[in-house]
Amino acid sequence: MSDGQRLFVGGEWVEPDGGHYAVPDPATEETVGWAPEASREQVHAACAAAREAFGPWSRTPPEERAAVLARAADVVRERLVPYAELAQAETGATTGTARGMQVGVGAARFRRYARVEPAEWAIPPQINEAGPMGKAGVMGALAVRQPVGVVTCITSYNNPWANPAGKIAPALAMGNTVVVKPAPQDPLSVYRMAEALEAAGAPAGVVNVVSGRSVEVGEAAVDSPDVDMVSFTGSTAVGQRIAEVCGRGMKRQLMELGGKGAALVFDDADIASAVAGIGTTFSFYSGQICTAPTRVLAQRGVYDRLVEQLAAYARRLKVGDPRERDTVVGPVISAGHRERVESYVEAGRKEGAVVVTGGERPPHDTGFYVSPTLLADCSPEMRVVREEIFGPVVAVLPFDDEEEGVALANDSDYGLIDYVWTGDVARAFRVARLLRAGGVGINTVGRNMEAPFGGFKRSGVGRDVGSYALHAYSEVQAIVWPG
């Protein structure tokens, strides 16, 4: 028997055909554990197991499905500390983030979807003016949510708990079965999630987890004829390739892709609030988050003060071992990603941006650290302004008036979440309605976890979170009868 992690297929823990690979700790570069490398055949076997389990699970009363999710939430909470220690070791997250925003949010999402919601709703009676037989009087109609079937969930590396739980829990609540393909950088936590669901009584085949560094693993999880839907969080480039395969098979898609969030800061803004909100780009997941306000548009009257205070804020942040209490900025996920982030900073410098603070590698002997970096005097055509960096890097541009600010914010391939800081409430909501983004934060970077989440343009397809996730993982069926 191998010392490495096993795959979870059809309710069994299975040795991987491709052996194991090391998962390094981004802070220490030591091996956290050994992740399994599935073969294409094993991925397809997982999809087949999910297909076999779908019929019985979809017919299970919603209350029983909800009870499984509730018990899973309890298991995760009971094991919060060891689960968070593993998540921290895999991702480099600070202790508070690993416990609260990773494992804690994961448990909360299982608990959220343990709340049974009506799967059907009446459509108000109306005269059937345009029926195939002309006016047919009043017809009764009911809209019913039905499960899609087998859902492949492909998750991102920045949060191996909240992101998978946000897919798995609503999918299971709606009666779907799932095949989870976690990010290769930190898959071990997702196997602990499967462990919790197994302990909670999830029937064999309802949840399957397969992993691997090979592109073939993800491809097999998408192209399997047993898969009806793909839910993906990750880069726009990978999302496009997945969408092409889904299109050929007419498979449903839910895509949460890249972001380049604009933060418009007007002259009348509360600067301290804006700095604290924008500053989360430096600290939260070390900037490895698609919702970060990485593209700051500052009105000229406040531009110099904002740059000065953002720089001071960034310099105060301790970069280092995420296990230490006072650490605010941990490492990025890998050496390769650190080099990618650093290459963007250098490109910005060459294109004429001013590196106000950061831009150098912190003096640590081990770990994949990047200093919080602020780039000022940027222009709209620069790569640091147009492309998603996914690190603790903020670019600042000036604007003159509201019209120009909105135009600059919308001058992006992305449209996930934008932000507005202003003391004028009417302007805040006026500007928000003009922004081409799936979400807008007004004087906050906070999220309402019942509000729809998703992006415009190249930031994705579809909406989830709250009740919207139940719609995302279901088909709507209309039932009609004579009035």
Side-chain angles (χ1 to χ4, degrees):
M1 186 173 80
S2 166
D3 291 332
Q5 173 65 52
R6 294 180 175 186
L7 306 168
F8 191 55
V9 177
E12 301 290 335
W13 294 96
V14 180
E15 285 291 334
D17 289 343
H20 294 84
Y21 66 91
V23 176
D25 183 328
T28 65
E29 302 182 44
E30 296 175 357
T31 297
V32 174
W34 296 88
E37 185 80 45
S39 65
R40 182 177 181 83
E41 290 73 24
Q42 287 180 311
V43 177
H44 279 184
C47 299
R51 171 58 61 199
E52 184 175 352
F54 170 65
W57 180 249
S58 66
R59 293 189 293 270
T60 299
E63 294 78 10
E64 292 183 25
R65 299 197 298 257
V68 170
L69 297 177
R71 290 193 296 269
D74 291 340
V75 172
V76 173
R77 284 174 175 154
E78 289 167 3
R79 303 174 184 176
L80 186 146
V81 172
Y83 282 172
E85 288 174 348
L86 175 60
Q88 181 175 57
E90 286 192 288
T91 65
T94 61
T95 301
T97 295
R99 291 187 181 185
M101 300 306 298
Q102 293 187 343
V103 182
V105 170
R109 287 183 167 173
F110 281 114
R111 177 64 63 186
R112 161 64 179 86
Y113 293 103
R115 190 169 77 217
V116 178
E117 294 187 19
E120 56 189 43
W121 61 98
I123 298 171
Q126 53 190 287
I127 300 297
N128 188 11
E129 296 279 3
M133 295 173 287
K135 286 189 179 182
V138 177
M139 302 288 287
L142 197 66
V144 180
R145 281 199 299 253
Q146 298 275 19
V148 178
V150 175
V151 181
T152 286
C153 304
I154 303 179
T155 64
S156 58
Y157 69 72
N158 58 347
N159 195 325
W161 276 92
N163 186 262
K167 299 178 185 296
I168 295 169
L172 296 188
M174 276 307 308
N176 302 284
T177 54
V178 298
V179 176
V180 188
K181 192 278 177 186
Q185 297 93 333
D186 51 8
L188 301 176
S189 289
V190 182
Y191 285 103
R192 301 289 74 74
M193 191 179 298
E195 173 186 272
L197 283 159
E198 181 185 33
V206 168
V207 177
N208 306 269
V209 184
V210 290
S211 60
R213 292 176 297 180
S214 169
V215 173
E216 185 180 63
V217 176
E219 289 177 343
V222 172
D223 68 22
S224 165
D226 286 311
V227 170
D228 301 293
M229 174 180 173
V230 177
S231 176
F232 172 69
T233 299
S235 73
T236 297
V238 174
Q240 286 177 303
R241 294 198 292 272
I242 291 173
E244 290 171 1
V245 177
C246 288
R248 290 195 292 271
M250 295 304 294
K251 299 181 181 185
R252 287 278 300 278
Q253 305 165 46
L254 178 61
M255 299 278 183
E256 198 263 279
L257 308 178
K260 192 69 178 178
L264 285 88
V265 183
F266 287 91
D267 287 345
D268 63 349
D270 179 334
I271 299 303
S273 172
V275 168
I278 295 164
T280 60
T281 301
F282 302 131
S283 56
F284 197 46
Y285 298 128
S286 301
Q288 298 168 114
I289 184 165
C290 53
T291 57
T294 57
R295 190 167 48 109
V296 177
L297 310 173
Q299 199 164 15
R300 290 192 186 275
V302 78
Y303 180 88
D304 289 338
R305 269 197 302 147
L306 184 65
V307 169
E308 178 184 348
Q309 292 187 34
L310 275 172
Y313 183 96
R315 293 186 188 111
R316 289 195 300 269
L317 303 177
K318 180 188 172 182
V319 181
D321 185 346
R323 294 170 179 83
E324 294 181 2
R325 282 182 174 271
D326 57 345
T327 293
V328 180
V329 183
V332 295
I333 194 68
S334 66
H337 188 56
R338 174 178 60 185
E339 291 173 3
R340 179 179 181 274
V341 174
E342 290 174 336
S343 73
Y344 270 106
V345 175
E346 184 58 29
R349 183 184 281 116
K350 288 179 178 177
E351 289 178 321
V354 174
V355 181
V356 182
T357 190
E360 76 289 337
R361 186 174 294 186
H364 296 289
D365 294 332
T366 59
F368 311 127
Y369 296 98
V370 175
S371 294
T373 301
L374 181 67
L375 303 174
D377 297 345
C378 296
S379 54
E381 73 280 356
M382 291 180 178
R383 287 183 62 207
V384 291
V385 173
R386 304 209 66 82
E387 299 178 19
E388 185 177 38
I389 300 173
F390 222 58
V393 180
V394 171
V396 189
L397 300 77
F399 71 91
D400 288 309
D401 56 26
E402 182 180 310
E403 184 179 1
E404 182 187 11
V406 170
L408 285 171
N410 287 335
D411 182 20
S412 174
D413 291 335
Y414 298 105
L416 188 56
I417 295 188
D418 287 343
Y419 304 88
V420 180
W421 270 275
T422 176
D424 184 335
V425 175
R427 172 161 64 184
F429 281 89
R430 180 174 65 246
V431 168
R433 295 292 296 270
L434 295 172
L435 295 175
R436 299 291 296 163
V440 179
I442 294 176
N443 296 325
T444 183
V445 292
R447 290 264 307 280
N448 181 325
M449 299 310 295
E450 290 297 316
F453 179 71
F456 288 14
K457 298 183 279 189
R458 291 166 64 89
S459 285
V461 177
R463 297 292 182 273
D464 68 355
V465 180
S467 296
Y468 295 89
L470 298 175
H471 287 284
Y473 292 98
S474 62
E475 298 279 14
V476 177
Q477 178 186 61
I479 301 176
V480 180
W481 64 91

